[in-house]
């Protein structure tokens, strides 16, 4: 792992700095209570609580809040591999797919384990100078570890000139 990746992981693991990052860059996620629980170079776990701010009229977690957590579990891994990168690389969500299996009525944890594939895709984008995409998988589980949702977030990367 390079020093830039390590520095960004350290920032995201710091209780105060991670919250300040969320407040400044993703205020909706901050106020919804979305938090990074675990993060490493290859995997990330993000939680979203079930509370007044995140619930829908059907007494479960609103799908958009689940989507925020799922996207963040993939996006944080992207940011790890892009932090202070030379040349800089732009990233963009180009597609989100989701499937729901069970009502989310408590805290939901989303895990993405595609960090290595994300890093390889970014390297390809830099080497070729072309836009490259990756479909990252994030699985949401309730506190009993039962799968409640599965998301596929498609990211596009392109090296800036």
């Amino acid at each position: 792992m390079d020093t830039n990746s390590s520095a960004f992981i350290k920032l995201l693991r710091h209780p105060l700095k991670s919250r300040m990052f969320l407040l400044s860059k993703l205020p909706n996620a901050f106020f919804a209570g979305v938090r990074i629980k675990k993060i490493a170079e290859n995997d990330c776990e993000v939680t979203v609580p079930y509370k007044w701010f995140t619930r829908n009229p059907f007494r479960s977690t609103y799908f958009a809040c689940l989507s925020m957590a799922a996207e963040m579990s993939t996006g944080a891994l992207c940011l790890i591999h892009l932090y202070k990168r030379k040349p800089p690389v732009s990233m963009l969500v180009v597609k989100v797919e989701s499937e729901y299996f069970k009502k989310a009525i408590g805290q939901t944890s989303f895990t993405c384990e595609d960090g290595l594939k994300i890093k390889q895709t970014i390297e390809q984008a830099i080497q070729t100078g072309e836009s490259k995409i990756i479909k990252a998988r994030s699985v949401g589980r309730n506190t009993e570890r039962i799968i409640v949702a599965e998301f596929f977030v498609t990211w596009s990367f392109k090296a800036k000139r």
Side-chain angles (χ1 to χ4, degrees):
M1 178 172 14
D2 65 51
T3 55
N4 289 337
S5 297
S6 296
F8 196 72
I9 289 171
K10 187 176 178 181
L11 181 138
L12 292 178
R13 286 181 178 163
H14 190 279
L16 181 60
K17 290 179 182 178
S18 64
R19 282 184 172 79
M20 294 307 295
F21 176 80
L22 278 178
L23 183 60
S24 66
K25 303 293 183 191
L26 298 164
N28 285 336
F30 175 84
F31 289 113
V34 175
R35 298 291 184 265
I36 294 174
K37 185 174 180 182
K38 295 178 188 170
I39 189 153
E41 188 177 19
N42 295 318
D43 59 314
C44 180
E45 182 179 353
V46 174
T47 60
V48 61
Y50 173 70
K51 61 180 187 175
W52 175 83
F53 199 84
T54 61
R55 73 178 181 216
N56 62 30
F58 311 107
R59 287 183 250 146
S60 63
T61 305
Y62 183 47
F63 84 95
C65 295
L66 295 173
S67 183
M68 275 194 293
E71 186 269 347
M72 187 183 294
S73 73
T74 65
L77 291 172
C78 298
L79 290 173
I80 285 171
H81 299 296
L82 294 175
Y83 187 65
K84 295 187 178 180
R85 172 68 79 150
K86 300 289 184 217
V89 177
S90 62
M91 63 186 261
L92 179 67
V93 172
V94 294
K95 186 176 184 180
V96 177
E97 302 167 80
S98 58
E99 191 171 354
Y100 305 90
F101 305 105
K102 188 171 175 59
K103 249 179 146 174
I105 54 172
Q107 179 174 280
T108 306
S109 298
F110 282 90
T111 305
C112 178
E113 299 174 335
D114 292 338
L116 182 58
K117 292 192 315 189
I118 290 168
K119 183 179 182 177
Q120 291 168 343
T121 304
I122 291 167
E123 295 296 337
Q124 289 174 358
I126 291 169
Q127 290 171 1
T128 64
E130 298 173 4
S131 178
K132 296 292 178 184
I133 63 167
I134 183 169
K135 188 176 186 176
R137 178 177 181 249
S138 184
V139 178
R141 290 181 168 83
N142 63 16
T143 53
E144 289 82 39
R145 306 302 298 158
I146 297 169
I147 296 175
V148 297
E150 180 179 47
F151 282 75
F152 291 94
V153 182
T154 304
W155 289 95
S156 174
F157 301 102
K158 184 163 178 153
K160 296 179 183 179
R161 303 212 178 248

